[in-house]
Amino acid sequence: MIYIKNNLLSLFILFLNFSIIFSKFVNPWVYQERHDLYETLINSTNIPVFGINNLNNCLYGLQLQFEWQNRSGRLEIQNSTNINLKSWWGNMNYYLSVIPYLSAMNNGLVPQVEILKIDGDSRFCTTYLECDQNIMHQWDVFFQEIINIRNNGSFGGGGGGGDDNKILKIMWDAHIGSIGKAGQIFQDTLSLLPIKEKKFGNGWAHFVDVIAIVNFNTNYSQVSTLSKSLPSSMISIFDFPPFIPRFSKNQNNVVMSMFAIDDIAQSSLTWNLFITLIKTATQNENCRNLINNEINNFITSPTTTFITILINILTNKC
């Protein structure tokens, strides 16, 4: 009996040791394992400016968007667990999950792991040194400020308020850097999407440029609210917003908004002018607050299209 107990104990210890070994390897193409990276990032960046419960952590936006992509079928999950390597949404998200994790790991904020490599595709870097160093530097700045705030009690060790907005701005710089690079290198998988889903996705990627300008807070409550208004499935060729019956009115308006943004973005000259107008307007505090409020209203209840709101602000109020 003692012999059996000792054997069971030995097997249990061996199992724990193997669990520790295997936990160092992460397959980012398994949905849950990539999701776990977010859990670790969020828990490891818990600082006072994000609130007692950490719900003001701006990294929640990345995790919640990843969850929406899964629920809506945009990750094209295979065998119940695996993200499709040809999923444009999954490819883009790689640069907003694995990339920041590698930076956080390089800065000692999260446990060391080894990322599973996809043979023959260098776009999916798996170590800090393999990745685009400009993008890594942007994420480094973000995580280093997290460390500064944790160690010194304030942004850059300098004291004063507004640390949450300052750290949010740095996060957006890194976010835009990641999504900009990903958008350039994943044109092949974007082209595989149904034509209207492609239009929605391209509009969504450019929508991020706008909300970054006004430093939209990607905390838990803000993005949870937004997620309710996002389309619950991919857009098919037979879908005509605002008359998609399986979508709510708000979801239809979000789809129309992304379509309108995509129309503007088809001309880089027109889009750059549009972005310049928004940036110029936000230099005025009243306009910046107005645009931010309207964006928040759109996120809460998109009763009209986003472009209509912005054009109305820029032409009549700012």
Side-chain angles (χ1 to χ4, degrees), residues 26-37 66 70 75 77-85 116 118:
V26 171
N27 182 351
W29 298 100
V30 172
Y31 171 79
Q32 189 58 53
E33 293 190 32
R34 193 184 293 191
H35 191 275
D36 289 345
L37 294 181
F66 183 55
N70 180 46
L75 300 179
I77 297 293
Q78 301 173 319
N79 301 321
S80 302
T81 60
N82 294 351
I83 300 167
N84 189 342
L85 292 174
L116 179 71
I118 302 299

mmCIF file with all atom_site columns, all heavy atoms in Angstrom, residues 26-37 66 70 75 77-85 116 118:
data_model
loop_
_atom_site.group_PDB
_atom_site.id
_atom_site.type_symbol
_atom_site.label_atom_id
_atom_site.label_alt_id
_atom_site.label_comp_id
_atom_site.label_asym_id
_atom_site.label_entity_id
_atom_site.label_seq_id
_atom_site.pdbx_PDB_ins_code
_atom_site.Cartn_x
_atom_site.Cartn_y
_atom_site.Cartn_z
_atom_site.occupancy
_atom_site.B_iso_or_equiv
_atom_site.pdbx_formal_charge
_atom_site.auth_seq_id
_atom_site.auth_comp_id
_atom_site.auth_asym_id
_atom_site.auth_atom_id
_atom_site.pdbx_PDB_model_num
ATOM 1   N N   . VAL A 1 26  ? 4.241   27.911 -26.068 1.00 0.00 ? 26  VAL A N   1
ATOM 2   C CA  . VAL A 1 26  ? 2.923   28.464 -26.383 1.00 0.00 ? 26  VAL A CA  1
ATOM 3   C C   . VAL A 1 26  ? 2.677   28.349 -27.881 1.00 0.00 ? 26  VAL A C   1
ATOM 4   O O   . VAL A 1 26  ? 3.506   28.774 -28.688 1.00 0.00 ? 26  VAL A O   1
ATOM 5   C CB  . VAL A 1 26  ? 2.814   29.936 -25.948 1.00 0.00 ? 26  VAL A CB  1
ATOM 6   C CG1 . VAL A 1 26  ? 1.521   30.559 -26.470 1.00 0.00 ? 26  VAL A CG1 1
ATOM 7   C CG2 . VAL A 1 26  ? 2.900   30.058 -24.436 1.00 0.00 ? 26  VAL A CG2 1
ATOM 8   N N   . ASN A 1 27  ? 1.546   27.754 -28.234 1.00 0.00 ? 27  ASN A N   1
ATOM 9   C CA  . ASN A 1 27  ? 1.127   27.707 -29.625 1.00 0.00 ? 27  ASN A CA  1
ATOM 10  C C   . ASN A 1 27  ? 0.104   28.830 -29.833 1.00 0.00 ? 27  ASN A C   1
ATOM 11  O O   . ASN A 1 27  ? -1.059  28.694 -29.447 1.00 0.00 ? 27  ASN A O   1
ATOM 12  C CB  . ASN A 1 27  ? 0.497   26.358 -29.968 1.00 0.00 ? 27  ASN A CB  1
ATOM 13  C CG  . ASN A 1 27  ? 0.092   26.260 -31.434 1.00 0.00 ? 27  ASN A CG  1
ATOM 14  O OD1 . ASN A 1 27  ? 0.123   27.247 -32.167 1.00 0.00 ? 27  ASN A OD1 1
ATOM 15  N ND2 . ASN A 1 27  ? -0.301  25.078 -31.863 1.00 0.00 ? 27  ASN A ND2 1
ATOM 16  N N   . PRO A 1 28  ? 0.516   29.941 -30.430 1.00 0.00 ? 28  PRO A N   1
ATOM 17  C CA  . PRO A 1 28  ? -0.391  31.091 -30.562 1.00 0.00 ? 28  PRO A CA  1
ATOM 18  C C   . PRO A 1 28  ? -1.511  30.865 -31.563 1.00 0.00 ? 28  PRO A C   1
ATOM 19  O O   . PRO A 1 28  ? -2.370  31.734 -31.742 1.00 0.00 ? 28  PRO A O   1
ATOM 20  C CB  . PRO A 1 28  ? 0.546   32.208 -31.025 1.00 0.00 ? 28  PRO A CB  1
ATOM 21  C CG  . PRO A 1 28  ? 1.623   31.502 -31.784 1.00 0.00 ? 28  PRO A CG  1
ATOM 22  C CD  . PRO A 1 28  ? 1.822   30.200 -31.061 1.00 0.00 ? 28  PRO A CD  1
ATOM 23  N N   . TRP A 1 29  ? -1.505  29.698 -32.217 1.00 0.00 ? 29  TRP A N   1
ATOM 24  C CA  . TRP A 1 29  ? -2.578  29.381 -33.155 1.00 0.00 ? 29  TRP A CA  1
ATOM 25  C C   . TRP A 1 29  ? -3.656  28.517 -32.516 1.00 0.00 ? 29  TRP A C   1
ATOM 26  O O   . TRP A 1 29  ? -4.631  28.147 -33.175 1.00 0.00 ? 29  TRP A O   1
ATOM 27  C CB  . TRP A 1 29  ? -1.991  28.730 -34.403 1.00 0.00 ? 29  TRP A CB  1
ATOM 28  C CG  . TRP A 1 29  ? -1.067  29.701 -35.073 1.00 0.00 ? 29  TRP A CG  1
ATOM 29  C CD1 . TRP A 1 29  ? 0.294   29.733 -34.985 1.00 0.00 ? 29  TRP A CD1 1
ATOM 30  C CD2 . TRP A 1 29  ? -1.443  30.850 -35.831 1.00 0.00 ? 29  TRP A CD2 1
ATOM 31  N NE1 . TRP A 1 29  ? 0.793   30.814 -35.667 1.00 0.00 ? 29  TRP A NE1 1
ATOM 32  C CE2 . TRP A 1 29  ? -0.253  31.517 -36.201 1.00 0.00 ? 29  TRP A CE2 1
ATOM 33  C CE3 . TRP A 1 29  ? -2.668  31.367 -36.257 1.00 0.00 ? 29  TRP A CE3 1
ATOM 34  C CZ2 . TRP A 1 29  ? -0.261  32.686 -36.959 1.00 0.00 ? 29  TRP A CZ2 1
ATOM 35  C CZ3 . TRP A 1 29  ? -2.670  32.524 -37.018 1.00 0.00 ? 29  TRP A CZ3 1
ATOM 36  C CH2 . TRP A 1 29  ? -1.480  33.167 -37.369 1.00 0.00 ? 29  TRP A CH2 1
ATOM 37  N N   . VAL A 1 30  ? -3.459  28.199 -31.248 1.00 0.00 ? 30  VAL A N   1
ATOM 38  C CA  . VAL A 1 30  ? -4.535  27.611 -30.450 1.00 0.00 ? 30  VAL A CA  1
ATOM 39  C C   . VAL A 1 30  ? -5.218  28.775 -29.731 1.00 0.00 ? 30  VAL A C   1
ATOM 40  O O   . VAL A 1 30  ? -4.567  29.523 -29.004 1.00 0.00 ? 30  VAL A O   1
ATOM 41  C CB  . VAL A 1 30  ? -3.999  26.585 -29.435 1.00 0.00 ? 30  VAL A CB  1
ATOM 42  C CG1 . VAL A 1 30  ? -5.109  26.126 -28.494 1.00 0.00 ? 30  VAL A CG1 1
ATOM 43  C CG2 . VAL A 1 30  ? -3.391  25.395 -30.165 1.00 0.00 ? 30  VAL A CG2 1
ATOM 44  N N   . TYR A 1 31  ? -6.504  28.933 -29.950 1.00 0.00 ? 31  TYR A N   1
ATOM 45  C CA  . TYR A 1 31  ? -7.225  30.100 -29.441 1.00 0.00 ? 31  TYR A CA  1
ATOM 46  C C   . TYR A 1 31  ? -6.979  30.331 -27.950 1.00 0.00 ? 31  TYR A C   1
ATOM 47  O O   . TYR A 1 31  ? -6.630  31.447 -27.539 1.00 0.00 ? 31  TYR A O   1
ATOM 48  C CB  . TYR A 1 31  ? -8.732  29.968 -29.701 1.00 0.00 ? 31  TYR A CB  1
ATOM 49  C CG  . TYR A 1 31  ? -9.532  31.050 -29.010 1.00 0.00 ? 31  TYR A CG  1
ATOM 50  C CD1 . TYR A 1 31  ? -9.612  32.325 -29.555 1.00 0.00 ? 31  TYR A CD1 1
ATOM 51  C CD2 . TYR A 1 31  ? -10.177 30.800 -27.797 1.00 0.00 ? 31  TYR A CD2 1
ATOM 52  C CE1 . TYR A 1 31  ? -10.325 33.326 -28.927 1.00 0.00 ? 31  TYR A CE1 1
ATOM 53  C CE2 . TYR A 1 31  ? -10.896 31.803 -27.157 1.00 0.00 ? 31  TYR A CE2 1
ATOM 54  C CZ  . TYR A 1 31  ? -10.964 33.063 -27.720 1.00 0.00 ? 31  TYR A CZ  1
ATOM 55  O OH  . TYR A 1 31  ? -11.661 34.065 -27.077 1.00 0.00 ? 31  TYR A OH  1
ATOM 56  N N   . GLN A 1 32  ? -7.140  29.291 -27.143 1.00 0.00 ? 32  GLN A N   1
ATOM 57  C CA  . GLN A 1 32  ? -7.036  29.465 -25.707 1.00 0.00 ? 32  GLN A CA  1
ATOM 58  C C   . GLN A 1 32  ? -5.624  29.867 -25.285 1.00 0.00 ? 32  GLN A C   1
ATOM 59  O O   . GLN A 1 32  ? -5.445  30.666 -24.360 1.00 0.00 ? 32  GLN A O   1
ATOM 60  C CB  . GLN A 1 32  ? -7.455  28.184 -24.973 1.00 0.00 ? 32  GLN A CB  1
ATOM 61  C CG  . GLN A 1 32  ? -7.584  28.365 -23.459 1.00 0.00 ? 32  GLN A CG  1
ATOM 62  C CD  . GLN A 1 32  ? -8.573  29.453 -23.085 1.00 0.00 ? 32  GLN A CD  1
ATOM 63  O OE1 . GLN A 1 32  ? -9.726  29.437 -23.534 1.00 0.00 ? 32  GLN A OE1 1
ATOM 64  N NE2 . GLN A 1 32  ? -8.136  30.419 -22.285 1.00 0.00 ? 32  GLN A NE2 1
ATOM 65  N N   . GLU A 1 33  ? -4.621  29.356 -25.980 1.00 0.00 ? 33  GLU A N   1
ATOM 66  C CA  . GLU A 1 33  ? -3.246  29.686 -25.611 1.00 0.00 ? 33  GLU A CA  1
ATOM 67  C C   . GLU A 1 33  ? -2.925  31.144 -25.951 1.00 0.00 ? 33  GLU A C   1
ATOM 68  O O   . GLU A 1 33  ? -2.214  31.819 -25.202 1.00 0.00 ? 33  GLU A O   1
ATOM 69  C CB  . GLU A 1 33  ? -2.261  28.732 -26.296 1.00 0.00 ? 33  GLU A CB  1
ATOM 70  C CG  . GLU A 1 33  ? -2.384  27.301 -25.785 1.00 0.00 ? 33  GLU A CG  1
ATOM 71  C CD  . GLU A 1 33  ? -1.273  26.382 -26.269 1.00 0.00 ? 33  GLU A CD  1
ATOM 72  O OE1 . GLU A 1 33  ? -0.133  26.858 -26.461 1.00 0.00 ? 33  GLU A OE1 1
ATOM 73  O OE2 . GLU A 1 33  ? -1.549  25.174 -26.449 1.00 0.00 ? 33  GLU A OE2 1
ATOM 74  N N   . ARG A 1 34  ? -3.456  31.636 -27.061 1.00 0.00 ? 34  ARG A N   1
ATOM 75  C CA  . ARG A 1 34  ? -3.253  33.058 -27.360 1.00 0.00 ? 34  ARG A CA  1
ATOM 76  C C   . ARG A 1 34  ? -4.041  33.912 -26.375 1.00 0.00 ? 34  ARG A C   1
ATOM 77  O O   . ARG A 1 34  ? -3.570  34.964 -25.938 1.00 0.00 ? 34  ARG A O   1
ATOM 78  C CB  . ARG A 1 34  ? -3.661  33.383 -28.806 1.00 0.00 ? 34  ARG A CB  1
ATOM 79  C CG  . ARG A 1 34  ? -3.178  34.761 -29.243 1.00 0.00 ? 34  ARG A CG  1
ATOM 80  C CD  . ARG A 1 34  ? -3.643  35.162 -30.643 1.00 0.00 ? 34  ARG A CD  1
ATOM 81  N NE  . ARG A 1 34  ? -3.062  34.361 -31.705 1.00 0.00 ? 34  ARG A NE  1
ATOM 82  C CZ  . ARG A 1 34  ? -3.165  34.688 -33.007 1.00 0.00 ? 34  ARG A CZ  1
ATOM 83  N NH1 . ARG A 1 34  ? -3.810  35.805 -33.353 1.00 0.00 ? 34  ARG A NH1 1
ATOM 84  N NH2 . ARG A 1 34  ? -2.642  33.915 -33.946 1.00 0.00 ? 34  ARG A NH2 1
ATOM 85  N N   . HIS A 1 35  ? -5.241  33.462 -26.047 1.00 0.00 ? 35  HIS A N   1
ATOM 86  C CA  . HIS A 1 35  ? -6.057  34.182 -25.059 1.00 0.00 ? 35  HIS A CA  1
ATOM 87  C C   . HIS A 1 35  ? -5.344  34.241 -23.713 1.00 0.00 ? 35  HIS A C   1
ATOM 88  O O   . HIS A 1 35  ? -5.402  35.260 -23.007 1.00 0.00 ? 35  HIS A O   1
ATOM 89  C CB  . HIS A 1 35  ? -7.415  33.496 -24.917 1.00 0.00 ? 35  HIS A CB  1
ATOM 90  C CG  . HIS A 1 35  ? -8.416  34.278 -24.129 1.00 0.00 ? 35  HIS A CG  1
ATOM 91  N ND1 . HIS A 1 35  ? -8.483  34.215 -22.751 1.00 0.00 ? 35  HIS A ND1 1
ATOM 92  C CD2 . HIS A 1 35  ? -9.391  35.159 -24.523 1.00 0.00 ? 35  HIS A CD2 1
ATOM 93  C CE1 . HIS A 1 35  ? -9.453  35.008 -22.320 1.00 0.00 ? 35  HIS A CE1 1
ATOM 94  N NE2 . HIS A 1 35  ? -10.014 35.594 -23.372 1.00 0.00 ? 35  HIS A NE2 1
ATOM 95  N N   . ASP A 1 36  ? -4.665  33.167 -23.350 1.00 0.00 ? 36  ASP A N   1
ATOM 96  C CA  . ASP A 1 36  ? -3.923  33.139 -22.083 1.00 0.00 ? 36  ASP A CA  1
ATOM 97  C C   . ASP A 1 36  ? -2.796  34.170 -22.061 1.00 0.00 ? 36  ASP A C   1
ATOM 98  O O   . ASP A 1 36  ? -2.448  34.692 -20.992 1.00 0.00 ? 36  ASP A O   1
ATOM 99  C CB  . ASP A 1 36  ? -3.350  31.747 -21.831 1.00 0.00 ? 36  ASP A CB  1
ATOM 100 C CG  . ASP A 1 36  ? -4.419  30.722 -21.477 1.00 0.00 ? 36  ASP A CG  1
ATOM 101 O OD1 . ASP A 1 36  ? -5.551  31.130 -21.156 1.00 0.00 ? 36  ASP A OD1 1
ATOM 102 O OD2 . ASP A 1 36  ? -4.131  29.510 -21.544 1.00 0.00 ? 36  ASP A OD2 1
ATOM 103 N N   . LEU A 1 37  ? -2.214  34.456 -23.229 1.00 0.00 ? 37  LEU A N   1
ATOM 104 C CA  . LEU A 1 37  ? -1.191  35.505 -23.291 1.00 0.00 ? 37  LEU A CA  1
ATOM 105 C C   . LEU A 1 37  ? -1.778  36.836 -22.838 1.00 0.00 ? 37  LEU A C   1
ATOM 106 O O   . LEU A 1 37  ? -1.129  37.606 -22.123 1.00 0.00 ? 37  LEU A O   1
ATOM 107 C CB  . LEU A 1 37  ? -0.627  35.632 -24.715 1.00 0.00 ? 37  LEU A CB  1
ATOM 108 C CG  . LEU A 1 37  ? 0.180   34.451 -25.269 1.00 0.00 ? 37  LEU A CG  1
ATOM 109 C CD1 . LEU A 1 37  ? 0.673   34.787 -26.683 1.00 0.00 ? 37  LEU A CD1 1
ATOM 110 C CD2 . LEU A 1 37  ? 1.372   34.114 -24.375 1.00 0.00 ? 37  LEU A CD2 1
ATOM 111 N N   . PHE A 1 66  ? -10.341 40.300 -29.391 1.00 0.00 ? 66  PHE A N   1
ATOM 112 C CA  . PHE A 1 66  ? -9.978  38.935 -29.767 1.00 0.00 ? 66  PHE A CA  1
ATOM 113 C C   . PHE A 1 66  ? -11.136 37.987 -29.488 1.00 0.00 ? 66  PHE A C   1
ATOM 114 O O   . PHE A 1 66  ? -11.445 37.102 -30.303 1.00 0.00 ? 66  PHE A O   1
ATOM 115 C CB  . PHE A 1 66  ? -8.723  38.520 -28.997 1.00 0.00 ? 66  PHE A CB  1
ATOM 116 C CG  . PHE A 1 66  ? -8.189  37.158 -29.352 1.00 0.00 ? 66  PHE A CG  1
ATOM 117 C CD1 . PHE A 1 66  ? -7.873  36.828 -30.655 1.00 0.00 ? 66  PHE A CD1 1
ATOM 118 C CD2 . PHE A 1 66  ? -7.969  36.204 -28.356 1.00 0.00 ? 66  PHE A CD2 1
ATOM 119 C CE1 . PHE A 1 66  ? -7.362  35.572 -30.984 1.00 0.00 ? 66  PHE A CE1 1
ATOM 120 C CE2 . PHE A 1 66  ? -7.453  34.954 -28.666 1.00 0.00 ? 66  PHE A CE2 1
ATOM 121 C CZ  . PHE A 1 66  ? -7.149  34.633 -29.989 1.00 0.00 ? 66  PHE A CZ  1
ATOM 122 N N   . ASN A 1 70  ? -13.461 35.794 -32.221 1.00 0.00 ? 70  ASN A N   1
ATOM 123 C CA  . ASN A 1 70  ? -13.744 34.362 -32.092 1.00 0.00 ? 70  ASN A CA  1
ATOM 124 C C   . ASN A 1 70  ? -15.246 34.096 -32.152 1.00 0.00 ? 70  ASN A C   1
ATOM 125 O O   . ASN A 1 70  ? -15.703 33.232 -32.908 1.00 0.00 ? 70  ASN A O   1
ATOM 126 C CB  . ASN A 1 70  ? -13.173 33.845 -30.773 1.00 0.00 ? 70  ASN A CB  1
ATOM 127 C CG  . ASN A 1 70  ? -13.429 32.367 -30.569 1.00 0.00 ? 70  ASN A CG  1
ATOM 128 O OD1 . ASN A 1 70  ? -13.231 31.558 -31.476 1.00 0.00 ? 70  ASN A OD1 1
ATOM 129 N ND2 . ASN A 1 70  ? -13.896 31.992 -29.383 1.00 0.00 ? 70  ASN A ND2 1
ATOM 130 N N   . LEU A 1 75  ? -12.054 34.285 -36.732 1.00 0.00 ? 75  LEU A N   1
ATOM 131 C CA  . LEU A 1 75  ? -10.781 33.556 -36.589 1.00 0.00 ? 75  LEU A CA  1
ATOM 132 C C   . LEU A 1 75  ? -10.825 32.236 -37.359 1.00 0.00 ? 75  LEU A C   1
ATOM 133 O O   . LEU A 1 75  ? -9.807  31.549 -37.463 1.00 0.00 ? 75  LEU A O   1
ATOM 134 C CB  . LEU A 1 75  ? -10.477 33.301 -35.113 1.00 0.00 ? 75  LEU A CB  1
ATOM 135 C CG  . LEU A 1 75  ? -10.333 34.554 -34.244 1.00 0.00 ? 75  LEU A CG  1
ATOM 136 C CD1 . LEU A 1 75  ? -10.045 34.160 -32.790 1.00 0.00 ? 75  LEU A CD1 1
ATOM 137 C CD2 . LEU A 1 75  ? -9.235  35.482 -34.762 1.00 0.00 ? 75  LEU A CD2 1
ATOM 138 N N   . ILE A 1 77  ? -12.014 29.263 -36.741 1.00 0.00 ? 77  ILE A N   1
ATOM 139 C CA  . ILE A 1 77  ? -11.483 28.196 -35.895 1.00 0.00 ? 77  ILE A CA  1
ATOM 140 C C   . ILE A 1 77  ? -11.633 26.835 -36.568 1.00 0.00 ? 77  ILE A C   1
ATOM 141 O O   . ILE A 1 77  ? -12.690 26.495 -37.105 1.00 0.00 ? 77  ILE A O   1
ATOM 142 C CB  . ILE A 1 77  ? -12.188 28.181 -34.528 1.00 0.00 ? 77  ILE A CB  1
ATOM 143 C CG1 . ILE A 1 77  ? -11.915 29.485 -33.766 1.00 0.00 ? 77  ILE A CG1 1
ATOM 144 C CG2 . ILE A 1 77  ? -11.761 26.969 -33.712 1.00 0.00 ? 77  ILE A CG2 1
ATOM 145 C CD1 . ILE A 1 77  ? -10.473 29.685 -33.343 1.00 0.00 ? 77  ILE A CD1 1
ATOM 146 N N   . GLN A 1 78  ? -10.560 26.048 -36.522 1.00 0.00 ? 78  GLN A N   1
ATOM 147 C CA  . GLN A 1 78  ? -10.547 24.702 -37.091 1.00 0.00 ? 78  GLN A CA  1
ATOM 148 C C   . GLN A 1 78  ? -10.352 23.676 -35.979 1.00 0.00 ? 78  GLN A C   1
ATOM 149 O O   . GLN A 1 78  ? -9.627  23.931 -35.013 1.00 0.00 ? 78  GLN A O   1
ATOM 150 C CB  . GLN A 1 78  ? -9.432  24.577 -38.127 1.00 0.00 ? 78  GLN A CB  1
ATOM 151 C CG  . GLN A 1 78  ? -9.563  25.565 -39.293 1.00 0.00 ? 78  GLN A CG  1
ATOM 152 C CD  . GLN A 1 78  ? -8.372  25.544 -40.220 1.00 0.00 ? 78  GLN A CD  1
ATOM 153 O OE1 . GLN A 1 78  ? -7.235  25.458 -39.783 1.00 0.00 ? 78  GLN A OE1 1
ATOM 154 N NE2 . GLN A 1 78  ? -8.637  25.610 -41.511 1.00 0.00 ? 78  GLN A NE2 1
ATOM 155 N N   . ASN A 1 79  ? -10.983 22.541 -36.113 1.00 0.00 ? 79  ASN A N   1
ATOM 156 C CA  . ASN A 1 79  ? -10.873 21.458 -35.111 1.00 0.00 ? 79  ASN A CA  1
ATOM 157 C C   . ASN A 1 79  ? -11.206 21.944 -33.705 1.00 0.00 ? 79  ASN A C   1
ATOM 158 O O   . ASN A 1 79  ? -10.629 21.488 -32.720 1.00 0.00 ? 79  ASN A O   1
ATOM 159 C CB  . ASN A 1 79  ? -9.459  20.861 -35.129 1.00 0.00 ? 79  ASN A CB  1
ATOM 160 C CG  . ASN A 1 79  ? -9.086  20.298 -36.478 1.00 0.00 ? 79  ASN A CG  1
ATOM 161 O OD1 . ASN A 1 79  ? -9.909  19.691 -37.152 1.00 0.00 ? 79  ASN A OD1 1
ATOM 162 N ND2 . ASN A 1 79  ? -7.844  20.518 -36.894 1.00 0.00 ? 79  ASN A ND2 1
ATOM 163 N N   . SER A 1 80  ? -12.114 22.896 -33.621 1.00 0.00 ? 80  SER A N   1
ATOM 164 C CA  . SER A 1 80  ? -12.638 23.423 -32.347 1.00 0.00 ? 80  SER A CA  1
ATOM 165 C C   . SER A 1 80  ? -11.641 24.270 -31.564 1.00 0.00 ? 80  SER A C   1
ATOM 166 O O   . SER A 1 80  ? -12.019 24.911 -30.589 1.00 0.00 ? 80  SER A O   1
ATOM 167 C CB  . SER A 1 80  ? -13.136 22.282 -31.440 1.00 0.00 ? 80  SER A CB  1
ATOM 168 O OG  . SER A 1 80  ? -14.139 21.531 -32.101 1.00 0.00 ? 80  SER A OG  1
ATOM 169 N N   . THR A 1 81  ? -10.369 24.285 -31.940 1.00 0.00 ? 81  THR A N   1
ATOM 170 C CA  . THR A 1 81  ? -9.374  24.986 -31.121 1.00 0.00 ? 81  THR A CA  1
ATOM 171 C C   . THR A 1 81  ? -8.439  25.896 -31.904 1.00 0.00 ? 81  THR A C   1
ATOM 172 O O   . THR A 1 81  ? -7.971  26.901 -31.377 1.00 0.00 ? 81  THR A O   1
ATOM 173 C CB  . THR A 1 81  ? -8.492  23.963 -30.368 1.00 0.00 ? 81  THR A CB  1
ATOM 174 O OG1 . THR A 1 81  ? -7.816  23.127 -31.321 1.00 0.00 ? 81  THR A OG1 1
ATOM 175 C CG2 . THR A 1 81  ? -9.321  23.097 -29.426 1.00 0.00 ? 81  THR A CG2 1
ATOM 176 N N   . ASN A 1 82  ? -8.154  25.572 -33.153 1.00 0.00 ? 82  ASN A N   1
ATOM 177 C CA  . ASN A 1 82  ? -7.062  26.238 -33.870 1.00 0.00 ? 82  ASN A CA  1
ATOM 178 C C   . ASN A 1 82  ? -7.518  27.398 -34.740 1.00 0.00 ? 82  ASN A C   1
ATOM 179 O O   . ASN A 1 82  ? -8.455  27.260 -35.542 1.00 0.00 ? 82  ASN A O   1
ATOM 180 C CB  . ASN A 1 82  ? -6.321  25.229 -34.753 1.00 0.00 ? 82  ASN A CB  1
ATOM 181 C CG  . ASN A 1 82  ? -5.592  24.180 -33.937 1.00 0.00 ? 82  ASN A CG  1
ATOM 182 O OD1 . ASN A 1 82  ? -5.488  24.288 -32.723 1.00 0.00 ? 82  ASN A OD1 1
ATOM 183 N ND2 . ASN A 1 82  ? -5.098  23.175 -34.607 1.00 0.00 ? 82  ASN A ND2 1
ATOM 184 N N   . ILE A 1 83  ? -6.829  28.519 -34.606 1.00 0.00 ? 83  ILE A N   1
ATOM 185 C CA  . ILE A 1 83  ? -7.066  29.680 -35.463 1.00 0.00 ? 83  ILE A CA  1
ATOM 186 C C   . ILE A 1 83  ? -6.527  29.350 -36.859 1.00 0.00 ? 83  ILE A C   1
ATOM 187 O O   . ILE A 1 83  ? -5.415  28.841 -36.998 1.00 0.00 ? 83  ILE A O   1
ATOM 188 C CB  . ILE A 1 83  ? -6.340  30.917 -34.901 1.00 0.00 ? 83  ILE A CB  1
ATOM 189 C CG1 . ILE A 1 83  ? -6.854  31.247 -33.496 1.00 0.00 ? 83  ILE A CG1 1
ATOM 190 C CG2 . ILE A 1 83  ? -6.507  32.119 -35.833 1.00 0.00 ? 83  ILE A CG2 1
ATOM 191 C CD1 . ILE A 1 83  ? -5.990  32.253 -32.746 1.00 0.00 ? 83  ILE A CD1 1
ATOM 192 N N   . ASN A 1 84  ? -7.317  29.628 -37.861 1.00 0.00 ? 84  ASN A N   1
ATOM 193 C CA  . ASN A 1 84  ? -6.898  29.371 -39.234 1.00 0.00 ? 84  ASN A CA  1
ATOM 194 C C   . ASN A 1 84  ? -5.699  30.251 -39.593 1.00 0.00 ? 84  ASN A C   1
ATOM 195 O O   . ASN A 1 84  ? -5.744  31.475 -39.419 1.00 0.00 ? 84  ASN A O   1
ATOM 196 C CB  . ASN A 1 84  ? -8.062  29.658 -40.188 1.00 0.00 ? 84  ASN A CB  1
ATOM 197 C CG  . ASN A 1 84  ? -7.784  29.216 -41.612 1.00 0.00 ? 84  ASN A CG  1
ATOM 198 O OD1 . ASN A 1 84  ? -6.644  28.985 -42.011 1.00 0.00 ? 84  ASN A OD1 1
ATOM 199 N ND2 . ASN A 1 84  ? -8.850  29.096 -42.402 1.00 0.00 ? 84  ASN A ND2 1
ATOM 200 N N   . LEU A 1 85  ? -4.640  29.642 -40.091 1.00 0.00 ? 85  LEU A N   1
ATOM 201 C CA  . LEU A 1 85  ? -3.440  30.398 -40.467 1.00 0.00 ? 85  LEU A CA  1
ATOM 202 C C   . LEU A 1 85  ? -3.729  31.395 -41.578 1.00 0.00 ? 85  LEU A C   1
ATOM 203 O O   . LEU A 1 85  ? -2.973  32.352 -41.768 1.00 0.00 ? 85  LEU A O   1
ATOM 204 C CB  . LEU A 1 85  ? -2.324  29.444 -40.921 1.00 0.00 ? 85  LEU A CB  1
ATOM 205 C CG  . LEU A 1 85  ? -1.713  28.552 -39.844 1.00 0.00 ? 85  LEU A CG  1
ATOM 206 C CD1 . LEU A 1 85  ? -0.741  27.558 -40.471 1.00 0.00 ? 85  LEU A CD1 1
ATOM 207 C CD2 . LEU A 1 85  ? -1.004  29.394 -38.797 1.00 0.00 ? 85  LEU A CD2 1
ATOM 208 N N   . LEU A 1 116 ? 5.660   28.897 -30.522 1.00 0.00 ? 116 LEU A N   1
ATOM 209 C CA  . LEU A 1 116 ? 5.749   27.941 -31.618 1.00 0.00 ? 116 LEU A CA  1
ATOM 210 C C   . LEU A 1 116 ? 5.937   28.673 -32.942 1.00 0.00 ? 116 LEU A C   1
ATOM 211 O O   . LEU A 1 116 ? 5.216   29.617 -33.253 1.00 0.00 ? 116 LEU A O   1
ATOM 212 C CB  . LEU A 1 116 ? 4.480   27.093 -31.682 1.00 0.00 ? 116 LEU A CB  1
ATOM 213 C CG  . LEU A 1 116 ? 4.435   26.051 -32.807 1.00 0.00 ? 116 LEU A CG  1
ATOM 214 C CD1 . LEU A 1 116 ? 5.408   24.926 -32.517 1.00 0.00 ? 116 LEU A CD1 1
ATOM 215 C CD2 . LEU A 1 116 ? 3.013   25.502 -32.961 1.00 0.00 ? 116 LEU A CD2 1
ATOM 216 N N   . ILE A 1 118 ? 6.020   29.080 -37.059 1.00 0.00 ? 118 ILE A N   1
ATOM 217 C CA  . ILE A 1 118 ? 5.404   28.592 -38.289 1.00 0.00 ? 118 ILE A CA  1
ATOM 218 C C   . ILE A 1 118 ? 6.493   28.516 -39.351 1.00 0.00 ? 118 ILE A C   1
ATOM 219 O O   . ILE A 1 118 ? 7.033   29.542 -39.781 1.00 0.00 ? 118 ILE A O   1
ATOM 220 C CB  . ILE A 1 118 ? 4.278   29.533 -38.762 1.00 0.00 ? 118 ILE A CB  1
ATOM 221 C CG1 . ILE A 1 118 ? 3.204   29.674 -37.683 1.00 0.00 ? 118 ILE A CG1 1
ATOM 222 C CG2 . ILE A 1 118 ? 3.681   29.028 -40.070 1.00 0.00 ? 118 ILE A CG2 1
ATOM 223 C CD1 . ILE A 1 118 ? 2.525   28.383 -37.306 1.00 0.00 ? 118 ILE A CD1 1
#
